[in-house]
Structure formats: structure tokens, C-alpha cells
Amino acid sequence: MPPKPAWDQYGEYLAIDSILNAQHPQSMVGGSAVHDEMLFIQFHQIYELWFKQILFELDDVLPRLGADTVSESDMQPILTYLGRIVEILKQMESMIDVLETMPPQSFIDFREYLGTASGFQSAQFRLIETRLGLERKTRLCVFHGQFDDNLKDSTKAAIKDAEKQPTLFAALDRWLARTPFVHLHSYTFANDYRMAVYDMFAERINIARTKLSGEALAAELEAIEKGKQKFEGIFDEELHAQAVKDGHWRLSWKALQAALFITIYRDTPILQAPYALLTQVMNIDALLARWRLRHALMVQRMVGMSLGTGGSSGYEYLMATVTSHRIFTDFFALSTYLIPSRALPPLPDDIRREMNYTYTTHR
Ligand code: HEM
């Protein structure tokens, strides 16, 4: 058989016909075509393709990071694919500019054709949230029951299945908890850090005593004591366990220590990839929150305070998800416990030596 002409191969390889024939504006069928319905449909379709790509990247990242051993050669694809998710999320956020060229009046003109259709029912979006680590118990309640009560059975089953698999949060926690060097030989990072924190507060007390007196001194000493107490929460394992129960922390004790260690000593060659990983995870969390915010503001512009077609309070519900549906906030909260570089405990020489890569030249 003669080879197909190039133009034909392009269309077949990319299934262009299927994609370009998948837009069916209902206002056209209804006889009073609304120009902007086409944009609205294609917009959702483009997002669903990005969602698909994000899930595809997670399919690769999660087993690698969730494995009992994560080798150096796994780190490169993990960082590449998480970095790709970051870039996709940036596109998803800025794309909203295009949808906002639609006047709210145009949306109202075809909204009746949506029925109860809503992004709320996007199975892929729910899977992304779940696989990243958003827990069922954290989700805002929209319809008195569970968030997925009104979703179709196949979506519910897919979400339940994803809930049984390790999430990015869980995989990261397990991986962090295994970080070597946090306790090695006679070295325990938490002990050294605690001493450095105590020294820093002792210095502040000395300065306060030389510069202040009376009520001002008392107020400053009280503030310093409160600051010191705050740090106990990360040094003391039992206090941490209570904080987890109270919902203040989600990371395990060991993972938290490791994340702080990596953040502080990030310049050490062996910690550069772990630090890049923590940074990417924070980027994903922040970008998802930014998308939620942009989407909520766009919704308010389009429909004001009306209820959503999916049955939620609309703008109000969406704004609440911006803060409530975050996943990796522990890594942001860690910054509360950073101290100035000059006060940091230096790494013991033997630990630093073990952490450095060594290169040997063979002659
Ligand atoms: C005029 C444009 C849009 C309007 C007025 C709109 C409106 C809404 C509203 C009111 C909700 C809350 C659920 C409900 O009660 O329906 C919602 C949720 C959602 N929308 Fe949109 N939306 C628009 C465009 C988009 C686009 C282009 C996407 C991309 C796929 C999208 C994805 C979502 C998702 C994923 C949710 C669930 C959010 C969550 O529960 O956290 N929306 N939308």
C-alpha cells in the first residue's frame, strides 16, 4: 500500500476529526445561537485535556516517590513531571483571561442550556485533588451529605479507588520520614536546632534587658517567652502528636523534622534535589489555590451571587475552597520555625562529609 499523504497522517495521529467534531453549542440547536457558547464549551474541553495530562504525570510520579527506595535516577523524572504540572497550572490560571472576554450577558443567554451541568462534576478534577492528597474529611460540605453524593457512579468509584492509593502527600511524608542525616551516629538535628533556638532567644533577652525597662521590658520578655513556647511544638514529639490531632499539622513528626532540615541545609549538594521537590510541591499547592481564586472571581463576574448550576452557593463556596482545600500548607507553615542564618547550628564535620558527593579522578 502507498504511504498515506502527510496531511492525512497528521489528522489521524492526532484524532483531529474527533476533537473538532466534539463541540455542540445547544443554543444553535435551540435556534437562537449565542456566539460565546462555543468558547465556553471549548474552554472546558481544553481544561479537561490539561487535567488528563496532570493525572498522566501523577501516574508516573506517585509510584516512584511512593516506593520503599527512591533512587537518584527516579528524582530526575519526579522533578521533571512535577515541574510540568506546575507549568500547566500556570497556563490554567492565565487562560481565564480569555474566558473573561465573554460578557456576563452572553453567559446568561445560554446558561439555561447547561441544566445542572457544572465543573463540580468534573471527575478528573476530583481525581487530581484526591491524588494530590485532599482528604474527604477536609472537603467543604455542599449538599449536607458527602461531596460526591451527587456524582455519577463511575466517578464515585474512581474517587474511592484513588482514596485507597498512596497520594502525593502520603508518599512525600513517607519519603521525608526516611531522610538519612537527620539522625546519624551521635548527631540529632532536633537537639542541635533546639540549642540554637534557645541561644537566639537568650540573646534577645540580653538585648531586651540592656535596652528596656519596666512595662516595656516585661512585655518584651513575655513576647520572647511565647516565641520560645511556639518552637516547643516542633521539638517535642508528644506536643506534635497533639497538634496533629487538633488539625494544626498533617505531616508526621519525622517528616516535619526532615523538611526543616532540608529547608535549612538546602545548599548541601545531596539536599538540593529534595529541596527542589519541596519547592515544586509548594508551587503546585499555591498555583491550585490561585486557580481556585481566579475561577471564583470569574464566576462572581459572570453570575454575581447566584447559586451554581451544580447546586452550591456559587462564589461563596468557591472562595471558601481557596483556603480550605489546600493540601501542602505544612510546608508553608514551616517558615514560622526558621531562624536567621547567623544563628543556625553548623553541621558537624563528619555529617557534612557524608552528605557531600565525592568525585574521584582515575588516572
Ligand atoms: C462562565 C464560566 C464558569 C462559571 C459561571 C462557572 C461556575 C461555577 C460554579 C458556580 C461552581 C460551583 C459549583 C456549582 O454549584 O456549580 C463551579 C465549580 C467548578 N468549576 Fe466552574 N464555572 C465556569 C467555568 C469553568 C471552567 C472553564 C472550568 C474548567 C474545567 C471550570 C471548572 C470548575 C470546577 C473544577 C469546579 C469545582 C470546584 C470545586 O468544587 O472546588 N469552571 N463553577
Side-chain angles (χ1 to χ4, degrees):
M1 252 195 6
K4 283 182 189 261
W7 52 264
D8 206 17
Q9 285 175 22
Y10 175 84
E12 260 184 34
Y13 177 67
L14 298 172
I16 296 294
D17 283 350
S18 309
I19 295 174
L20 298 186
N21 286 316
Q23 295 74 35
H24 309 290
Q26 293 304 300
S27 61
M28 285 186 190
V29 180
S32 53
V34 180
H35 180 88
D36 285 347
E37 192 185 353
M38 180 62 98
L39 176 74
F40 182 81
I41 291 173
Q42 296 204 131
F43 227 78
H44 283 80
Q45 292 175 338
I46 293 165
Y47 268 105
E48 288 293 338
L49 287 176
W50 279 138
F51 293 164
K52 185 173 180 179
Q53 190 65 37
I54 291 175
L55 288 169
F56 190 68
E57 305 306 346
L58 289 177
D59 278 346
D60 187 279
V61 168
L62 291 186
R64 286 182 196 272
L65 192 63
D68 289 340
T69 316
V70 182
S71 70
E72 288 296 314
S73 58
D74 280 320
M75 278 310 262
Q76 194 270 337
I78 289 173
L79 287 173
T80 302
Y81 301 149
L82 289 181
R84 187 173 296 160
I85 294 176
V86 165
E87 296 306 322
I88 292 173
L89 288 171
K90 284 185 195 164
Q91 298 292 324
M92 279 173 44
E93 186 201 359
S94 66
M95 267 170 62
I96 291 180
D97 290 340
V98 182
L99 193 55
E100 282 180 340
T101 61
M102 174 170 77
Q105 183 64 51
S106 299
F107 180 59
I108 298 305
D109 289 346
F110 67 82
R111 195 180 187 216
E112 61 183 296
Y113 297 107
L114 305 184
T116 56
S118 161
F120 195 85
Q121 294 141 13
S122 165
Q124 294 201 102
F125 187 74
R126 296 299 172 217
L127 286 177
I128 292 172
E129 292 178 322
T130 305
R131 300 196 68 197
L132 289 178
L134 183 64
E135 293 179 301
R136 183 170 283 267
K137 64 178 186 214
T138 321
R139 288 183 185 274
L140 293 173
C141 187
V142 181
F143 323 96
H144 301 297
Q146 296 283 315
F147 82 98
D148 53 354
D149 280 353
N150 289 7
L151 303 184
K152 64 179 182 182
D153 287 346
S154 58
T155 305
K156 274 193 227 174
I159 294 169
K160 286 254 155 57
D161 191 46
E163 284 173 335
K164 287 185 208 134
Q165 313 295 327
T167 63
L168 183 61
F169 187 95
L172 193 55
D173 189 296
R174 278 190 53 203
W175 175 77
L176 279 170
R178 294 196 307 268
T179 308
F181 313 117
V182 180
H183 304 277
L184 194 66
H185 312 312
S186 60
Y187 172 71
T188 301
F189 160 67
N191 293 346
D192 279 22
Y193 198 56
R194 189 198 287 247
M195 291 317 295
V197 168
Y198 285 178
D199 287 349
M200 183 189 76
F201 281 116
E203 191 188 323
R204 279 195 200 164
I205 291 171
N206 280 340
I207 294 172
R209 286 195 197 285
T210 52
K211 291 198 172 158
L212 304 170
S213 61
E215 278 183 20
L217 176 61
E220 179 66 4
L221 291 179
E222 197 184 321
I224 291 173
E225 185 52 33
K226 274 195 187 141
K228 214 170 144 187
Q229 287 300 322
K230 187 185 69 188
F231 274 85
E232 285 309 316
I234 56 158
F235 294 134
D236 185 306
E237 197 167 352
E238 278 178 25
L239 286 179
H240 173 78
Q242 188 56 47
V244 170
K245 272 192 198 139
D246 296 342
H248 299 313
W249 285 114
R250 191 172 161 197
L251 278 176
S252 67
W253 160 254
K254 280 188 175 167
L256 186 66
Q257 304 288 317
L260 193 57
F261 180 81
I262 291 168
T263 305
I264 290 173
Y265 300 114
R266 65 196 176 284
D267 290 342
T268 318
I270 211 162
L271 294 182
Q272 286 176 11
Y275 183 67
L277 177 53
L278 298 191
T279 305
Q280 289 301 33
V281 162
M282 287 168 78
N283 288 342
I284 288 175
D285 190 82
L287 283 160
L288 204 51
R290 274 164 52 176
W291 179 81
R292 289 186 195 278
L293 177 67
R294 278 300 310 269
H295 172 263
L297 291 173
M298 183 266 297
V299 169
Q300 189 189 33
R301 178 191 295 246
M302 294 297 167
V303 299
M305 306 313 278
S306 310
L307 298 184
T309 46
S312 79
S313 59
Y315 169 73
E316 211 178 288
Y317 158 73
L318 293 168
M319 281 304 275
T321 64
V322 177
T323 48
S324 304
H325 285 184
R326 291 193 51 198
I327 298 162
F328 298 98
T329 40
D330 279 9
F331 296 97
F332 292 78
L334 264 187
S335 300
T336 321
Y337 304 96
L338 295 180
I339 61 175
S341 297
R342 62 176 170 75
L344 286 176
L347 278 172
D349 284 346
D350 56 331
I351 303 293
R352 185 171 282 283
R353 253 196 316 277
E354 290 203 38
M355 286 171 66
N356 277 340
Y357 293 122
T358 48
Y359 299 96
T360 317
T361 312
H362 296 288
R363 290 166 192 264

